[in-house]
């Protein structure tokens, strides 16, 4: 757990020495560990949630979204879980959307 905490701290730190390719690989690995039940999905999602707030690299955000949305597919049949998951994703992406300045059009809501 201490190693995961250090890794999480490094992923959240904008001044981290981790390159974008390293961060991308770490997120990929986190979800592979969750798939084989060596790490909880809760922990993997928590690590992506807080890192996404500070992440500015497209390739890393693309990996995060790919992994998170794959998790979403697993809960899509449960209406309550799906609703909670969509709120989670919206909250996770809020800063990214705010930074980009996107405004929803009439037919985009």
């Amino acid at each position: 757990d201490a190693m995961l905490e250090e890794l999480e701290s490094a992923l959240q730190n904008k001044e981290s020495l981790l390159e974008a390719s390293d961060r991308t690989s770490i997120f990929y690995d986190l979800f592979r560990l969750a798939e084989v039940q060596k790490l909880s999905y809760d922990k993997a999602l928590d690590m992506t949630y807080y890192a996404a707030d500070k992440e500015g690299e497209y390739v890393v955000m693309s990996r995060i979204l790919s992994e998170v949305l794959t998790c979403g597919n697993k809960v899509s049949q449960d209406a309550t879980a799906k609703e909670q998951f969509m709120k989670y994703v919206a909250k996770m992406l809020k800063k990214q959307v705010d930074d980009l300045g996107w405004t929803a059009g009439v037919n985009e809501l």
Side-chain angles (χ1 to χ4, degrees), residues 8-109:
E8 188 171 12
S9 177
L11 289 169
Q12 292 177 18
N13 183 353
K14 274 199 151 197
E15 282 75 41
S16 173
L17 298 177
L18 295 172
E19 298 289 332
S21 60
D22 296 327
R23 295 190 309 274
T24 302
S25 295
I26 289 168
F27 288 116
Y28 176 84
D29 292 343
L30 286 172
F31 285 89
R32 299 305 68 79
L33 288 169
E35 282 180 356
V36 297
Q37 300 177 349
K38 299 291 183 185
L39 179 71
S40 72
Y41 276 104
D42 287 347
K43 183 64 174 174
L45 288 168
D46 283 347
M47 290 178 76
T48 60
Y49 182 85
Y50 295 109
D53 187 53
K54 300 198 177 14
E55 188 56 62
E57 294 287 335
Y58 170 80
V59 69
V60 182
M61 281 304 299
S62 177
R63 171 53 50 199
I64 288 172
L65 287 174
S66 175
E67 298 299 344
V68 168
L69 294 177
T70 298
C71 287
N73 290 338
K74 295 176 183 182
V75 299
S76 64
Q77 299 303 314
D78 180 332
T80 302
K82 184 177 179 181
E83 181 181 341
Q84 291 174 341
F85 181 80
M86 295 308 288
K87 287 179 182 177
Y88 165 87
V89 171
K91 190 173 178 182
M92 179 182 82
L93 295 177
K94 183 176 180 350
K95 182 181 181 305
Q96 300 291 340
V97 172
D98 289 347
D99 288 350
L100 292 172
W102 178 74
T103 303
V106 175
N107 295 324
E108 296 177 322
L109 293 175

